[in-house]
Amino acid sequence: LQANWTVPVYVFFKPTPLIEHIDGRHCHTFICAAAHCKMASNKVHRYLDTKDAKSTSNLRKHARRCFGEDAVAAADNAANADEVRRTTLASGGTLRSDALTATFGRREGGTFTFSHRPHTTTKTSDRGFNSLMKTGRPGYHIPSPTTVARDIKLVFARTRNRVAKLLKEYPGKLNFATDAWTSPNHHSYVAFTVHLEKDGVPLSLLLDFVEVPHSHSGFNLATAF
């Protein structure tokens, strides 16, 4: 029987149902695949002694209440349950309504465009960016680029002051080190670090990271500082 359970609604339940006898009646018990089922019971019984033993109406009713109308509608756009499992669950992730909508919503047709602009320059008025960031979180507040830049600078300034205070007041010896290397695109960098022991635990801090200016051939990185 399981070989014939191919309609997409089966993906909302665990692949193998339980075979039970309830009040002397033979039935298949389907277990909801949601990590946290929203229904009073995560089980749907389908009795085999009725004319509609192959009906999926109770399964669809449970799926709509637990996953939402949009998720069920999105799954219906797939060819069968195997396609949903192969495309949406192939990575081993949990079944989510937003994942289903993103995967099968495109079957409805229409033109899709993609923005390749970096997020750091995207304004909060960008509809595509807002849709992406608020998928599954419609009440999420997206700060403006100005706010993000201001907060990053503030965090950096406070962290720099804390590190400076720590190093100035440290009672022991401080070990400074440098590490230089060249990236695959032939840009050379030098990192400056400090190493110390705090409360019995080794602590390493990055103090600065600079790119070495381009120079003539034969430039010796070791003599640059």
Side-chain angles (χ1 to χ4, degrees):
L1 292 176
Q2 191 172 9
N4 298 321
W5 298 340
T6 59
V7 293
V9 70
Y10 284 103
V11 79
F12 296 103
F13 300 86
K14 294 185 178 180
T16 303
L18 302 177
I19 300 177
E20 297 182 321
H21 288 81
I22 300 178
D23 296 331
R25 301 177 65 188
H26 190 195
C27 72
H28 288 149
T29 300
F30 295 87
I31 309 299
C32 183
H36 301 286
C37 184
K38 298 179 181 179
M39 304 296 290
S41 174
N42 66 339
K43 298 179 180 180
V44 177
H45 302 293
R46 186 160 69 185
Y47 294 94
L48 305 182
D49 58 355
T50 61
K51 294 182 180 181
D52 57 350
K54 297 182 180 180
S55 173
T56 61
S57 59
N58 286 339
L59 299 178
R60 296 182 67 85
K61 184 184 298 182
H62 182 102
R64 289 193 186 99
R65 293 180 178 178
C66 190
F67 289 88
E69 292 282 354
D70 292 341
V72 176
D76 286 339
N77 288 325
N80 50 52
D82 289 337
E83 183 182 357
V84 179
R85 294 189 179 97
R86 183 175 63 254
T87 56
T88 308
L89 306 179
S91 61
T94 57
L95 184 66
R96 305 187 316 276
S97 60
D98 57 325
L100 282 165
T101 304
T103 302
F104 299 106
R106 61 176 179 270
R107 288 182 175 269
E108 298 175 359
T111 302
F112 287 79
T113 58
F114 300 88
S115 173
H116 297 282
R117 291 176 295 171
H119 290 169
T120 53
T121 60
T122 301
K123 302 297 183 182
T124 55
S125 59
D126 189 301
R127 295 179 59 185
F129 179 73
N130 280 335
S131 176
L132 176 63
M133 294 296 102
K134 293 191 175 187
T135 298
R137 305 177 182 85
Y140 184 74
H141 171 70
I142 302 177
S144 66
T146 303
T147 300
V148 174
R150 181 195 62 200
D151 291 347
I152 290 176
K153 292 179 180 179
L154 180 61
V155 171
F156 173 78
R158 290 179 176 177
T159 302
R160 180 178 56 186
N161 292 337
R162 290 185 60 185
V163 172
K165 184 175 184 296
L166 171 65
L167 299 182
K168 289 179 181 179
E169 298 177 355
Y170 187 69
K173 294 182 178 181
L174 298 174
N175 298 279
F176 294 92
T178 61
D179 187 15
W181 68 94
T182 301
S183 65
N185 60 358
H186 306 291
H187 287 262
S188 299
Y189 300 90
V190 176
F192 296 87
T193 59
V194 61
H195 308 267
L196 60 146
E197 180 182 324
K198 181 174 175 59
D199 299 328
V201 179
L203 182 63
S204 300
L205 299 174
L206 176 65
L207 298 179
D208 204 352
F209 180 83
V210 297
E211 181 179 358
V212 178
H214 293 285
S215 183
H216 55 79
S217 59
F219 174 75
N220 188 346
L221 189 59
T223 61
F225 299 90

